[in-house]
Amino acid sequence: LGYRGLYIFDDMFAMNMNRTKPICNEMQKRGIVYRCNGQANFFTKNEDFAKMLSETGCKEIAFGHESGSQKILDFISKDITTQQIKQAVQNCVKAGIMPQISFMCGFPTETKKDTLETLDLYDEIINLDKEHIEVNSLFIFSPYPGTELYDLAIKYGYKPPKTLEEWSEWQFNHLKNINWFKKSYRKYLHTM
């Protein structure tokens, strides 16, 4: 079809170099550049991973770092540290790949201190290299059915849609999804 670029939307694509490398080599043979998703811990265990991706045509890696609070990262079972987040970003930039980072706020149990730690990490990362790092956004937590956080959100007072019609009106990144916070605090998060 003549495509020369891909966005690989597989959250596990950049997880295992043995699985990923043959795919990347084939895209390189075909002259295809690509962007993919990744997790910080995969890029701190093996510095050569980012280099291999870059050499085979990877231009950007999207990371969902979620929080700058280690307490929240542990709470949501992210299995990364804030130090790994910074190291992964630096490894990607060093390899010539632009890391695109997203954060979230509004998790159950999150405090204002946790949110401020996220903003601090946001600033720290963007100041590592303003030309070659993109901090995508600070999203509002959205509970997804079938996850542990969804069940926890319900315990905290989240009222999920009950009908197909209600689900058709459900919105990602919406203040209604974090109704366990006071309205004034939800407004504060929305402003950020």
Side-chain angles (χ1 to χ4, degrees):
L1 296 172
Y3 292 111
R4 291 286 157 241
L6 291 174
Y7 184 176
I8 301 167
F9 261 109
D10 176 356
D11 287 338
M12 296 296 145
F13 177 74
M15 179 175 130
N16 179 324
M17 194 145 132
N18 294 329
R19 171 185 172 255
T20 305
K21 191 171 184 174
I23 298 167
C24 295
N25 287 338
E26 186 61 33
M27 287 190 293
Q28 183 182 26
K29 283 183 204 169
R30 296 171 184 244
I32 295 171
V33 296
Y34 61 97
R35 172 184 189 214
C36 62
N37 297 340
Q39 277 189 252
N41 53 346
F42 304 140
F43 292 86
T44 56
K45 291 176 187 170
N46 184 350
E47 202 172 315
D48 292 337
F49 202 178
K51 186 177 176 203
M52 181 277 293
L53 291 174
S54 178
E55 289 171 351
T56 59
C58 184
K59 301 299 180 195
E60 289 183 12
I61 297 178
F63 291 107
H65 289 324
E66 316 322 1
S67 181
S69 163
Q70 191 61 53
K71 179 190 102 182
I72 294 297
L73 290 172
D74 294 343
F75 174 75
I76 65 174
S77 302
K78 191 67 180 171
D79 195 30
I80 58 175
T81 66
T82 56
Q83 189 57 41
Q84 285 176 310
I85 290 169
K86 290 183 274 191
Q87 187 62 54
V89 167
Q90 289 170 328
N91 288 350
C92 288
V93 170
K94 182 177 171 185
I97 299 172
M98 177 178 274
Q100 184 186 51
I101 297 118
S102 313
F103 290 101
M104 281 191 227
C105 60
F107 291 101
T109 77
E110 187 176 88
T111 64
K112 190 170 186 176
K113 179 181 179 284
D114 297 319
T115 304
L116 292 174
E117 287 177 5
T118 297
L119 293 176
D120 288 344
L121 184 59
Y122 181 116
D123 287 342
E124 194 174 337
I125 286 173
I126 202 72
N127 286 320
L128 290 171
D129 187 335
K130 290 182 181 176
E131 267 186 63
H132 300 102
I133 297 170
E134 180 181 334
V135 179
N136 184 17
S137 193
L138 180 65
F139 294 101
I140 301 291
F141 166 69
S142 297
Y144 285 165
T147 65
E148 288 179 36
L149 283 173
Y150 181 82
D151 295 337
L152 188 63
I154 289 173
K155 286 180 185 172
Y156 271 76
Y158 174 64
K159 305 270 189 271
K162 291 183 180 19
T163 65
L164 185 59
E165 290 79 14
E166 287 176 1
W167 273 110
S168 73
E169 294 173 9
W170 184 89
Q171 294 177 33
F172 167 79
N173 196 36
H174 198 278
L175 293 177
K176 281 195 250 179
N177 297 334
I178 57 171
N179 64 338
W180 47 83
F181 292 112
K182 291 180 181 175
K183 189 175 183 176
S184 60
Y185 191 69
R186 289 196 310 258
K187 199 171 186 177
Y188 167 78
L189 294 177
H190 180 71
T191 301
M192 287 191 308

